[in-house]
Amino acid sequence: GKGQELSFSTTLAAQRTEFDFSFTEPYFLNRDLSAGIDLFHVTQDLQQESSYDSKRTGGGLRLGYPLSENWRQNLGYRFEKTEINSVQANASTYIRQQAGTRSASSINQILTYDTRDSKTDPTDGFLGRIIAEFTGVGGQARNYKTRVGGTYYYPVADQWVLSLLGEVGYIHGWGGETVRINERFYMGGDTMRGFEDAGIGPRDTATADALGGNQFWRGSAEVTLPSGLPEDLGVKAHVFSDFGSLWTIDDSGPTIQDGGGVRVSAGVGVSWRSPFGPVRADLARPLLKETYDKLQQFRFSFGTRF
């Protein structure tokens, strides 16, 4: 009867295993403050993208409060240990050099502006976020990261919705520390359809390993329209174009490709509002790409996009 939320979730898959525990008190100190604690353990197989596996274990505290009807502020602290292991012998030199365990202690804030008419199936309104994170409150990692983005929804006609997305991000090391491979941004898959996960951006062409990037921008334009099936089935059709770029790493060498060129893709998709959550299939084709990018024309995904 207090609205408190206790959750435990598990993901068991071939390339990712994740255990998450969280507790949220929506009215902390009898005020309109949400307070919570999170614990997590994630192992990830990144052999296909970057020839290594990673293990992340940690937890955090968070506090959220409204600034107005549409504005909300969230503050948080997180500590985690990341282990880069199972690095292949023929992996990129720039990845082999970073094998081992590294701790990170960070504070963060998320400022959100939300006027959407629905959080799960919006047809009108805007969702914007400003995310800032400072890492170096203890631990070994030293960097600061910023992401700014938003999505605008506009109803063109009955059951026709235009959505426009834009986002930029930046991370930089401080105190003589460089940004490690697990701290960088990656693009591809859901964030750039037509390309594999980590399919664009800086790459060691000697080994084809993705290295991630310190800066990115991306955009997307999409029209959602009726599929022709009964509306109560929750099936919709989509026509879209994604575009953006990812560039800059602290390493340099003759085999690193880091041009920062613009990538563009276009395609069509079908989504289903299933009882288990949103399910979607997309068919996309790259229109602008680099020779070292990794392509993926068909993608099947779960969940919503930002």
Side-chain angles (χ1 to χ4, degrees), residues 24-36 62-66 72-73:
T24 303
E25 168 56 66
Y27 295 101
F28 185 59
L29 300 177
N30 294 320
R31 297 176 179 271
D32 192 5
L33 297 171
S34 65
R62 50 190 161 77
L63 182 71
Y65 53 91
R72 186 170 185 85
Q73 175 75 40

Side-chain angles (χ1 to χ4, degrees), residues 240-252:
F240 61 84
S241 176
D242 294 340
F243 38 90
S245 185
L246 173 70
W247 72 100
T248 302
I249 59 173
D250 298 323
D251 301 309
S252 61

Side-chain angles (χ1 to χ4, degrees), residues 92-114:
S92 168
T93 301
Y94 311 100
I95 296 175
R96 296 201 308 270
Q97 292 172 346
Q98 299 181 37
T101 302
R102 178 177 165 103
S103 62
S105 176
S106 61
I107 55 176
N108 61 76
Q109 72 86 35
I110 304 174
L111 182 62
T112 304
Y113 178 74
D114 192 353

Side-chain angles (χ1 to χ4, degrees), residues 1 14 16 35 59 70 80 84 104 108 118 173 211 214 218 228 244 247 253 295:
R16 185 183 181 93
N70 299 321
E80 68 177 61
I84 295 176
N108 61 76
S118 169
L211 302 176
N214 293 1
R218 69 183 181 106
W247 72 100
L295 311 183

Side-chain angles (χ1 to χ4, degrees), residues 29-79:
L29 300 177
N30 294 320
R31 297 176 179 271
D32 192 5
L33 297 171
S34 65
I37 181 172
D38 302 294
L39 301 172
F40 59 86
H41 177 74
V42 182
T43 60
Q44 196 167 5
D45 180 348
L46 297 168
Q47 296 292 338
Q48 182 175 345
E49 296 89 351
S50 302
S51 301
Y52 74 93
D53 294 342
S54 75
K55 182 192 299 181
R56 296 171 48 239
T57 304
L61 302 171
R62 50 190 161 77
L63 182 71
Y65 53 91
L67 299 175
S68 67
E69 180 181 357
N70 299 321
W71 289 93
R72 186 170 185 85
Q73 175 75 40
N74 288 277
L75 305 174
Y77 167 80
R78 188 179 77 251
F79 179 85

